[in-house]
Amino acid sequence: PAPLTSNLIGTIVLAPIVEYAFGHYPRKRGSSSFGSLRTNPFVRSLVIFPAGVATAGVVLTLFTLGPVIGFSGVVFAFVGFALVRFPIATIVAALSTRIVTQLYRALRTPEVQQTASETFSRPWWAGISIQGHALGLLLGAAAGIALLYHRDVRPRPEHVWLAALAFAVDR
């Protein structure tokens, strides 16, 4: 349940940033929102965006080493995409996922006492697909850069660098 909850919280917090960056409405001047399927806001938000998320999930599953099937690579793709478009908002969102997760765990299983246990038995990252997370982050960043290039938008590099550094230190 822990990976499921963290992926769900990450998606709830980060996917709206990516979806906002992708946008509901056409960007070209003079184009109509309901002129075609590609510019229809309902189709963009209910078909095109989820199809992109599903495609990212399939690509990450196919190209990650080993038998890895999981959604956390897609969550990290959300992070990579959002980092290049809205770096400061992404860091606030990524840090808020930690807070929401801690509150959820505290409410679900409150511990009044803590007992000593072995800490050298197994590393914390033993069951985590590090290459899946890294590939998701790179795939999301590449998709974000491609969208920014297509729309001729340039975020401030120092914000992107600072946000990437803060995310790396946090994770």
Side-chain angles (χ1 to χ4, degrees), residues 77-96:
F78 289 151
V79 171
F81 191 100
L83 268 176
V84 297
R85 180 59 185 104
F86 297 114
I88 304 302
T90 304
I91 288 306
V92 171
L95 293 176
S96 71

Side-chain angles (χ1 to χ4, degrees), residues 99-144:
I99 296 167
V100 171
T101 303
Q102 288 294 358
L103 285 173
Y104 172 77
R105 287 182 185 157
L107 291 173
R108 186 173 164 114
T109 55
E111 294 182 11
V112 179
Q113 295 179 337
Q114 184 68 355
T115 59
S117 64
E118 295 180 10
T119 58
F120 56 88
S121 60
R122 206 176 138 195
W124 64 266
W125 45 264
I128 296 176
S129 168
I130 294 173
Q131 72 274 9
H133 291 97
L135 187 60
L137 188 69
L138 292 174
L139 178 70

Side-chain angles (χ1 to χ4, degrees), residues 34-46:
F34 295 95
S36 69
L37 284 178
R38 200 182 91 217
T39 60
N40 187 324
F42 295 112
V43 172
R44 289 175 68 86
S45 62
L46 299 174

